[in-house]
Amino acid sequence: MRVGAAALVAGLIGGIGVLLFLVAFGTDYWLLATENCGAIGGLSPPPENGTDPAAPPLYFHHEGFFWRCWFNGEEFQETIWNFWFTSQAHPKHCIQGYLFPMPIATWPVPHPSYDPTAVYRGFWTAFIILAVAASLVGGLLLVCAVPFAAAQLYKVGGGFLITSGVLLALLIALFTLWKEFAADLEKYILLERSQKCFPDTHVRVYYGWSFLFAAVGAPLVLLSGLLFLCISRSIHVEEK
């Protein structure tokens, strides 16, 4: 009875953690940024006659594993709440961003916007894919283990969840190091446009909703994995 209750608690914690992680993986709000450079890649015109060139329109960028997107909010205030799903202006332009969080070349490589921090690209991408795979495999094993109270399945499933949590913690750490120390974020956000910006251009960068979901999900996944390992050990002791 105690094993069943413990498994239920561990399963709920792990389920919430994995769900948060999958939401973080599937949404493109790891990085949020606002800037007032002006036209973006020729998709939006520069200020017309009668528009104060000293007050260019604001542009809002958000990106994640799958997409890198931006939209213009001419009447928007500079706040992260403009990135909320129901508040975004339309049309919104997006390009594929599978190898986020490093610069994406829109012209032939080598591209001048590439720099030594590109090593983060491969590690971040590998960690997030492996973490998703480990969490799904661990969850499947634990679903199979619950009806039979199988100690070995609990142990293996818990191990996969711990692996997923560790990888998730590593990719969060990589993202934080990239944002805070490694990358020239102004050059990154203004990719392809830095020579066309107004003199008083400013860029502000924020952590996004996806990053927060992942940061909350990581300790939950780790805790769930540890609990399942303890349950496995308890079942093994009882069987002796």
Side-chain angles (χ1 to χ4, degrees):
M1 184 67 178
R2 288 182 300 173
V3 169
L8 177 61
V9 172
L12 288 175
I13 293 173
I16 294 172
V18 171
L19 179 61
L20 289 172
F21 180 30
L22 292 177
V23 170
F25 173 68
T27 54
D28 300 299
Y29 295 88
W30 281 79
L31 185 74
L32 310 179
T34 62
E35 49 88 1
N36 64 342
C37 171
I40 294 188
L43 293 174
S44 299
E48 301 289 346
N49 293 335
T51 301
D52 182 6
L58 285 173
Y59 284 88
F60 301 87
H61 303 254
H62 67 86
E63 44 185 297
F65 182 78
F66 292 103
W67 296 100
R68 178 184 186 191
C69 303
W70 60 88
F71 58 91
N72 170 234
E74 295 184 2
E75 299 179 356
F76 284 17
Q77 298 297 316
E78 194 163 354
T79 169
I80 62 171
W81 293 110
N82 292 325
F83 293 97
W84 193 248
F85 311 106
T86 58
S87 302
Q88 296 177 17
H90 293 281
K92 182 166 70 171
H93 307 283
C94 294
I95 61 176
Q96 292 178 344
Y98 297 111
L99 294 180
F100 173 80
M102 283 291 99
I104 302 162
T106 55
W107 298 101
V109 177
H111 190 277
S113 291
Y114 277 71
D115 56 46
T117 60
V119 68
Y120 280 75
R121 168 185 288 197
F123 283 109
W124 195 89
T125 301
F127 286 160
I128 198 168
I129 292 175
L130 290 174
V132 168
S135 65
L136 293 177
V137 171
L140 179 62
L141 289 173
L142 291 169
V143 167
C144 296
V146 168
F148 309 104
Q152 193 62 28
L153 286 178
Y154 278 131
K155 182 178 180 179
V156 176
F160 271 103
L161 287 184
I162 291 174
T163 301
S164 175
V166 169
L167 290 171
L168 182 54
L170 285 174
L171 71 90
I172 290 171
L174 274 178
F175 180 85
T176 304
L177 289 172
W178 173 76
K179 178 184 178 298
E180 300 295 339
F181 306 108
D184 182 348
L185 287 176
E186 182 171 344
K187 182 175 71 173
Y188 174 55
I189 296 300
L190 301 177
L191 183 66
E192 302 294 348
R193 300 193 299 135
S194 58
Q195 301 302 316
K196 304 175 184 178
C197 294
F198 295 97
D200 61 345
T201 294
H202 67 269
V203 177
R204 290 189 172 87
V205 183
Y206 312 91
Y207 292 104
W209 328 120
S210 302
F211 175 86
L212 298 178
F213 287 148
V216 174
L220 294 179
V221 173
L222 278 172
L223 177 59
S224 176
L226 291 172
L227 287 175
F228 277 115
L229 285 183
C230 293
I231 293 170
S232 170
R233 183 179 179 83
S234 176
I235 294 174
H236 185 70
V237 170
E238 290 179 357
E239 289 176 347
K240 285 187 175 180

